[in-house]
Amino acid sequence: MKSIAVIGLDRFGITLATTLAQLGHQVLCIDNEEYTIQSIADVVTNAVCANTTSETALRAADLKSFDSAVICISDSMERSLLTVLAVKEIGINSITVRAISDDHKKILEKLGMTDIIYPEYDMATKLAYRINKSKIREYLEFSNDYSIIEIAVPEKWVGKTLRNLDVRNTYGINVIAISHPSNHSVDITINPNNPLSKDDALVLLGTDDIIMKFAKTID
């Protein structure tokens, strides 16, 4: 069981806090709206109405005793940033922050935040891949710069081997697994000399820019 503070209770924050509580974790919710706190008080371990930008208020809410904090504030970049500073001053080492714009994300990075989530951007990107006519089946953001995709083996690759295709040097992408949907298996120990089947799927890792370029080449 982990102890997690969720700060900022819009729909995203409420869903996160509720799910974490249902999974058995100790959850502290902090928001500056009393009615929002009352709506979730019976679901989580503790819910406190407080000024999230105030270090004093956050200490009074016993934030210091929690392992990590997720800052989900989405209505004000200023309030989000001030809350980040207050949480850092308290000494919470594991902080996840929701970004609400590109500028917000850049400022968070300047503040040293490495665990940044950007739900709107992430979902829009995934939807774009789904709508796109490429062979991409799944898209997963691996880090701020890298993504993992699963694609059906392109028709022009069927019968060829990974050694022949030289995917890494040709496209700048790494094949990390081969999925076999027909028998629900996945090979993570890849033999580069085995011919690719039209029923296979490739799991690839690469930078976001290279992934975008690669998606165009396989249409």
Side-chain angles (χ1 to χ4, degrees), residues 57-70:
L58 294 178
R59 288 188 183 278
D62 199 26
L63 178 61
K64 177 66 175 176
S65 66
F66 282 73
D67 300 326
S68 60
V70 184

Side-chain angles (χ1 to χ4, degrees), residues 137 150-151 153 177-191 194-203:
R137 296 177 175 176
E150 180 181 312
I151 65 163
V153 172
I178 298 179
S179 173
H180 307 288
S182 58
N183 60 10
H184 306 288
S185 65
V186 177
D187 288 336
I188 58 174
T189 303
I190 302 169
N191 185 337
N194 286 342
L196 296 173
S197 166
K198 66 178 181 179
D199 298 323
D200 290 339
L202 303 176
V203 182

Side-chain angles (χ1 to χ4, degrees), residues 98-216:
R98 176 185 181 181
I100 58 178
S101 68
D102 291 339
D103 288 340
H104 188 197
K105 183 173 180 290
K106 290 177 183 177
I107 295 172
L108 289 169
E109 289 171 343
K110 292 292 186 182
L111 290 175
M113 294 294 99
T114 57
D115 194 358
I116 302 170
I117 55 173
Y118 197 170
E120 290 79 8
Y121 174 85
D122 294 343
M123 290 305 299
T125 303
K126 290 178 182 179
L127 179 59
Y129 275 116
R130 286 173 55 191
I131 294 173
N132 183 34
K133 294 180 180 179
S134 73
K135 295 178 178 292
I136 293 179
R137 296 177 175 176
E138 297 292 340
Y139 169 85
L140 172 66
E141 185 178 15
F142 182 71
S143 69
N144 288 339
D145 299 314
Y146 285 82
S147 297
I148 294 174
I149 62 170
E150 180 181 312
I151 65 163
V153 172
E155 186 175 346
K156 59 185 179 182
W157 289 11
V158 174
K160 297 182 179 179
T161 68
L162 291 176
R163 187 178 298 281
N164 295 146
L165 292 166
D166 197 13
V167 177
R168 179 183 297 176
N169 290 324
T170 304
Y171 302 99
I173 269 181
N174 295 294
V175 181
I176 59 176
I178 298 179
S179 173
H180 307 288
S182 58
N183 60 10
H184 306 288
S185 65
V186 177
D187 288 336
I188 58 174
T189 303
I190 302 169
N191 185 337
N193 297 311
N194 286 342
L196 296 173
S197 166
K198 66 178 181 179
D199 298 323
D200 290 339
L202 303 176
V203 182
L204 310 173
L205 170 67
T207 64
D208 294 335
D209 289 342
I210 289 178
I211 289 286
M212 293 291 285
K213 291 177 182 177
F214 177 74
K216 295 177 181 179

